[in-house]
Amino acid sequence: MSGLIAADTPASTKRAAFRAGLTSGTIQQFPGAFNPLTAKLIQEIGFEGVYVSGAVLSADLGLPDIGLTTLTEVSGRGQQIARVTDLPVLIDADTGFGEPMSAARTVTVMEDAGIAGLHLEDQVNPKRCGHLDGKAVVPTGEMVRRLRAAVSARRDPDFVICARTDAAGIDGVDAAIERAKAYADAGADLIFTEALHTEAEFEKFRAAVDVPLLANMTEFGKSELVPAKTLEQIGYNAVIYPVTTLRLAMFAAEQGLREIAETGTQAGLLDRMQHRSRLYELLDYERYNEFDSGIFNFTLRADTGQGKGQQR
Ligand SMILES: C[C@](O)(C(=O)O)[C@H](CC(=O)O)C(=O)O
Ligand SMILES: [Mg+2]
């Protein structure tokens, strides 16, 4: 029953796929998974990879995205997500969880967690969401040390180290480009160009550097929501939708909870819910029967079929 409880693609294969995707000429779309189940959905729909967002991880714990989470929390969640998917997982390692030596340790811990790559950003601690005002960056030399430490700690040469620069929103796009070049020289495989405003800025960045580039299409932030095809034409290699699935789910959850509070029932909400049978399909419930029918003998016919949203 390989691939049932955990995906059976080895981490090394996922990392090689991530690297190959970055030089394929096709933009690699990595939606954020707020839990392992969402990662399964992302794979089923056919995306190239899964993103694990620091903003989502913090929000999930009821915290703002200001560097309060620990390496243990972030890598633990990353491992749970990476375990269930055959896709490469890119994880948000914020500023590396400490000084350069801690950034190096972060790489080893993420490798052990089955992650395909991580990004480190050039913000000072405490960090901010890249789309808010009031953030600050460390000197280029300090970020270069952070990156060199990370690169030197890598045991799998295919593990992707992505350098994020937040400088565009502070010192302008030209300064961000200069930093990106220094970060690539320090060994970064991919540059995350945070909080650019317009297509023209993405084009300017692309024309100035020759390493793979990642765009962040987060909603309600500083960047125009540029479609993946356009980013691909500009020459970007990867795009993340970091908080999208959490925003969709939380919006639906809030509406549903308000309706139950008002009407005393969820009966009117069934059409807006994932059906039990769809959930079971995503979880591959039936294959657990084959795994050991002596322990488990689930059948969808047990469904009572009440409510118009329930088809079986
Ligand atoms: C990409 C990001 O770092 C994240 O943690 O997902 C955030 C996303 C967001 O807050 O919208 C960021 O851009 O800083
Ligand atoms: Mg983040």
Side-chain angles (χ1 to χ4, degrees):
M1 297 308 288
S2 76
L4 182 60
I5 294 170
D8 53 12
T9 304
S12 56
T13 307
K14 298 181 199 178
R15 293 173 190 144
F18 190 8
R19 276 190 183 262
L22 289 176
T23 52
S24 67
T26 301
I27 193 150
Q28 306 294 295
Q29 291 180 280
F30 280 52
F34 62 85
N35 61 15
L37 184 61
T38 309
K40 287 170 85 73
L41 195 55
I42 290 168
Q43 175 169 335
E44 192 184 294
I45 293 174
F47 290 98
E48 288 80 16
V50 172
Y51 180 67
V52 176
S53 149
V56 166
L57 237 138
S58 308
D60 198 51
L61 294 169
L63 297 170
D65 183 20
I66 52 173
L68 295 171
T69 50
T70 66
L71 171 59
T72 307
E73 286 172 328
V74 175
S75 62
R77 195 59 167 157
Q79 182 170 38
Q80 289 175 341
I81 291 172
R83 186 181 289 136
V84 301
T85 180
D86 297 295
L87 298 178
V89 171
L90 172 66
I91 199 164
D92 182 352
D94 287 342
T95 55
F97 302 100
E99 297 306 310
M101 208 180 283
S102 295
R105 177 163 183 258
T106 295
V107 169
T108 63
V109 171
M110 295 302 186
E111 280 185 335
D112 290 346
I115 304 293
L118 59 72
H119 65 78
L120 293 168
E121 68 204 30
D122 56 9
Q123 286 199 43
V124 298
N125 257 321
K127 53 132 311 136
R128 297 270 171 272
C129 161
H131 290 255
L132 295 183
D133 296 322
K135 59 182 184 176
V137 286
V138 296
T140 304
E142 197 173 322
M143 178 62 174
V144 163
R145 276 196 296 283
R146 216 176 256 176
L147 285 169
R148 287 221 179 102
V151 168
S152 72
R154 178 163 64 188
R155 290 158 295 168
D156 181 346
D158 280 339
F159 185 85
V160 172
I161 295 189
C162 172
R164 160 169 152 178
T165 179
D166 281 70
I170 303 164
D171 302 320
V173 179
D174 290 328
I177 287 170
E178 284 319 301
R179 280 174 176 264
K181 289 178 179 166
Y183 302 166
D185 288 346
D189 306 296
L190 175 65
I191 302 291
F192 177 151
T193 62
E194 177 66 322
L196 302 185
H197 293 95
T198 58
E199 269 180 45
E201 288 188 350
F202 286 102
E203 277 164 9
K204 183 171 183 182
F205 222 108
R206 177 67 290 173
V209 297
D210 6 284
V211 269
L213 294 178
L214 177 143
N216 177 10
M217 288 295 114
T218 194
E219 304 84 4
F220 319 115
K222 305 258 185 224
S223 303
E224 230 178 77
L225 295 182
V226 184
K229 266 286 154 226
T230 310
L231 288 168
E232 185 178 279
Q233 279 154 11
I234 292 172
Y236 266 64
N237 308 89
V239 55
I240 56 170
Y241 307 93
V243 195
T244 311
T245 57
L246 182 76
R247 293 194 217 282
L248 288 166
M250 287 303 292
F251 185 82
E254 183 172 345
Q255 286 195 323
L257 289 171
R258 289 192 189 286
E259 185 161 326
I260 294 170
E262 271 170 36
T263 67
T265 175
Q266 76 277 50
L269 292 167
L270 298 179
D271 288 342
R272 279 183 279 152
M273 285 187 190
Q274 181 179 59
H275 194 281
R276 177 189 291 270
S277 60
R278 174 69 185 120
L279 174 61
Y280 287 2
E281 182 184 76
L282 202 53
L283 292 170
D284 231 344
Y285 244 84
E286 294 221 14
R287 277 183 68 213
Y288 286 82
N289 279 340
E290 296 158 30
F291 186 43
D292 192 342
S293 55
I295 294 177
F296 186 71
N297 53 8
F298 161 81
T299 162
L300 269 180
R301 283 189 294 279
D303 191 331
T304 62
Q306 93 276 16
K308 64 182 165 121
Q310 309 210 345
Q311 289 103 11
R312 278 175 176 251

